[in-house]
Amino acid sequence: MQLLTWEPQHSVGVQELDEQHKKIFAIINRLYDAMQTTDEKKNLGEILEEMRDYCDQHFSLEEKYFDLFHYEDRESHEAQHRFFREKSREFIQTYAVDGVTLSFDVLDFLEDWWFKHINNVDKKYTKCFQEHGLQ
Ligand SMILES: [Fe+2]
Protein backbone atom coordinates (compact mmCIF):
# COMPACT_ATOMS: atom_id res chain seq x y z
CA MET A 1 0.00 0.00 0.00
CA GLN A 2 1.20 3.49 -0.82
CA LEU A 3 1.55 6.15 1.80
CA LEU A 4 2.64 8.88 -0.59
CA THR A 5 1.33 9.19 -4.13
CA TRP A 6 2.94 11.68 -6.47
CA GLU A 7 0.38 13.49 -8.58
CA PRO A 8 0.78 16.14 -11.30
CA GLN A 9 -0.40 18.78 -8.81
CA HIS A 10 2.91 18.18 -6.95
CA SER A 11 4.98 19.24 -9.94
CA VAL A 12 7.55 21.96 -9.32
CA GLY A 13 7.80 22.57 -13.06
CA VAL A 14 11.27 21.02 -13.46
CA GLN A 15 11.28 17.43 -14.65
CA GLU A 16 14.57 16.41 -13.05
CA LEU A 17 13.36 17.57 -9.61
CA ASP A 18 9.91 16.00 -10.05
CA GLU A 19 11.61 12.66 -10.80
CA GLN A 20 13.66 12.98 -7.65
CA HIS A 21 10.56 13.76 -5.58
CA LYS A 22 8.91 10.61 -7.01
CA LYS A 23 11.92 8.58 -6.00
CA ILE A 24 11.83 10.03 -2.47
CA PHE A 25 8.14 9.08 -2.23
CA ALA A 26 9.03 5.55 -3.40
CA ILE A 27 11.69 5.19 -0.68
CA ILE A 28 9.24 6.37 2.00
CA ASN A 29 6.62 3.93 0.67
CA ARG A 30 9.17 1.13 0.99
CA LEU A 31 9.79 2.16 4.57
CA TYR A 32 6.06 2.06 5.21
CA ASP A 33 5.81 -1.42 3.65
CA ALA A 34 8.80 -2.76 5.54
CA MET A 35 7.38 -1.55 8.86
CA GLN A 36 4.33 -3.72 8.39
CA THR A 37 6.15 -6.88 7.40
CA THR A 38 7.90 -8.65 10.24
CA ASP A 39 10.37 -10.26 7.84
CA GLU A 40 11.49 -6.95 6.46
CA LYS A 41 11.78 -5.03 9.72
CA LYS A 42 15.51 -5.64 9.67
CA ASN A 43 15.75 -3.54 6.53
CA LEU A 44 14.38 -0.40 8.16
CA GLY A 45 17.81 0.97 9.04
CA GLU A 46 19.02 0.44 5.50
CA ILE A 47 15.98 2.14 4.02
CA LEU A 48 16.34 5.07 6.42
CA GLU A 49 19.98 5.45 5.37
CA GLU A 50 19.00 5.29 1.74
CA MET A 51 16.38 7.98 2.36
CA ARG A 52 18.93 10.18 4.14
CA ASP A 53 21.50 9.80 1.36
CA TYR A 54 19.08 10.31 -1.48
CA CYS A 55 17.41 13.34 0.14
CA ASP A 56 20.84 14.76 0.82
CA GLN A 57 21.77 14.53 -2.88
CA HIS A 58 18.42 16.01 -3.85
CA PHE A 59 18.76 18.97 -1.45
CA SER A 60 22.31 19.57 -2.70
CA LEU A 61 21.09 19.76 -6.28
CA GLU A 62 18.38 22.30 -5.39
CA GLU A 63 20.96 24.28 -3.43
CA LYS A 64 23.36 24.22 -6.37
CA TYR A 65 20.64 25.86 -8.47
CA PHE A 66 19.94 28.42 -5.69
CA ASP A 67 23.60 29.41 -5.90
CA LEU A 68 23.76 29.50 -9.65
CA PHE A 69 20.57 31.54 -10.00
CA HIS A 70 21.05 33.72 -6.90
CA TYR A 71 17.66 32.53 -5.70
CA GLU A 72 16.16 35.07 -3.29
CA ASP A 73 14.52 32.64 -0.83
CA ARG A 74 17.54 30.41 -0.52
CA GLU A 75 18.21 31.07 3.17
CA SER A 76 14.83 30.05 4.51
CA HIS A 77 14.66 27.16 2.05
CA GLU A 78 18.05 25.83 3.09
CA ALA A 79 17.02 26.09 6.74
CA GLN A 80 14.21 23.65 5.93
CA HIS A 81 16.68 21.28 4.29
CA ARG A 82 18.91 21.50 7.37
CA PHE A 83 15.95 20.65 9.58
CA PHE A 84 15.13 17.57 7.50
CA ARG A 85 18.75 16.46 7.42
CA GLU A 86 18.83 16.72 11.22
CA LYS A 87 15.59 14.72 11.53
CA SER A 88 17.01 11.98 9.28
CA ARG A 89 20.06 11.74 11.54
CA GLU A 90 17.80 11.50 14.59
CA PHE A 91 15.68 8.75 13.01
CA ILE A 92 18.73 6.70 12.09
CA GLN A 93 20.16 7.11 15.56
CA THR A 94 16.92 6.12 17.28
CA TYR A 95 15.62 3.41 15.00
CA ALA A 96 18.73 1.90 13.42
CA VAL A 97 21.41 2.42 16.06
CA ASP A 98 19.37 2.25 19.29
CA GLY A 99 17.00 -0.35 17.84
CA VAL A 100 13.77 1.31 18.96
CA THR A 101 10.73 0.15 16.97
CA LEU A 102 9.94 2.61 14.21
CA SER A 103 6.63 4.27 14.94
CA PHE A 104 3.92 5.47 12.62
CA ASP A 105 4.58 8.98 13.97
CA VAL A 106 7.75 8.96 11.88
CA LEU A 107 5.78 8.07 8.76
CA ASP A 108 3.24 10.79 9.59
CA PHE A 109 6.06 13.26 9.94
CA LEU A 110 7.61 12.23 6.59
CA GLU A 111 4.30 12.39 4.77
CA ASP A 112 3.39 15.76 6.23
CA TRP A 113 6.87 17.29 5.79
CA TRP A 114 7.25 16.28 2.16
CA PHE A 115 3.79 17.38 1.05
CA LYS A 116 4.20 20.73 2.78
CA HIS A 117 7.76 21.20 1.60
CA ILE A 118 6.96 20.52 -2.04
CA ASN A 119 3.73 22.49 -2.15
CA ASN A 120 4.62 25.47 0.04
CA VAL A 121 8.38 25.81 -0.32
CA ASP A 122 9.70 24.10 -3.46
CA LYS A 123 7.01 25.55 -5.72
CA LYS A 124 8.26 29.04 -4.93
CA TYR A 125 11.40 28.41 -7.01
CA THR A 126 9.50 27.33 -10.14
CA LYS A 127 9.44 30.80 -11.70
CA CYS A 128 13.12 31.51 -10.95
CA PHE A 129 14.31 28.09 -12.16
CA GLN A 130 12.27 28.27 -15.35
CA GLU A 131 13.50 31.79 -16.09
CA HIS A 132 17.00 30.32 -15.96
CA GLY A 133 16.13 27.66 -18.51
CA LEU A 134 15.23 24.63 -16.39
CA GLN A 135 12.14 22.73 -17.47
FE1 LIG B 1 13.52 21.78 -1.27
Side-chain angles (χ1 to χ4, degrees), residues 62 77 81 117 122:
E62 285 186 350
H77 198 137
H81 290 173
H117 185 74
D122 284 341

Side-chain angles (χ1 to χ4, degrees), residues 116-131:
K116 283 191 181 140
H117 185 74
I118 290 172
N119 291 309
N120 304 337
V121 182
D122 284 341
K123 283 182 182 175
K124 287 189 190 156
Y125 61 53
T126 302
K127 186 166 173 279
C128 168
F129 282 16
Q130 289 184 342
E131 278 171 1

Side-chain angles (χ1 to χ4, degrees), residues 7 27 35 57 65 74 76 78-79 111 115 119 122:
E7 283 165 30
I27 297 171
M35 272 182 77
Q57 278 179 39
Y65 291 135
R74 60 173 296 170
S76 58
E78 287 181 10
E111 180 185 26
F115 279 136
N119 291 309
D122 284 341

Side-chain angles (χ1 to χ4, degrees), residues 89-101:
R89 254 195 301 278
E90 265 176 49
F91 294 150
I92 289 166
Q93 177 64 43
T94 310
Y95 301 102
V97 181
D98 295 343
V100 174
T101 308

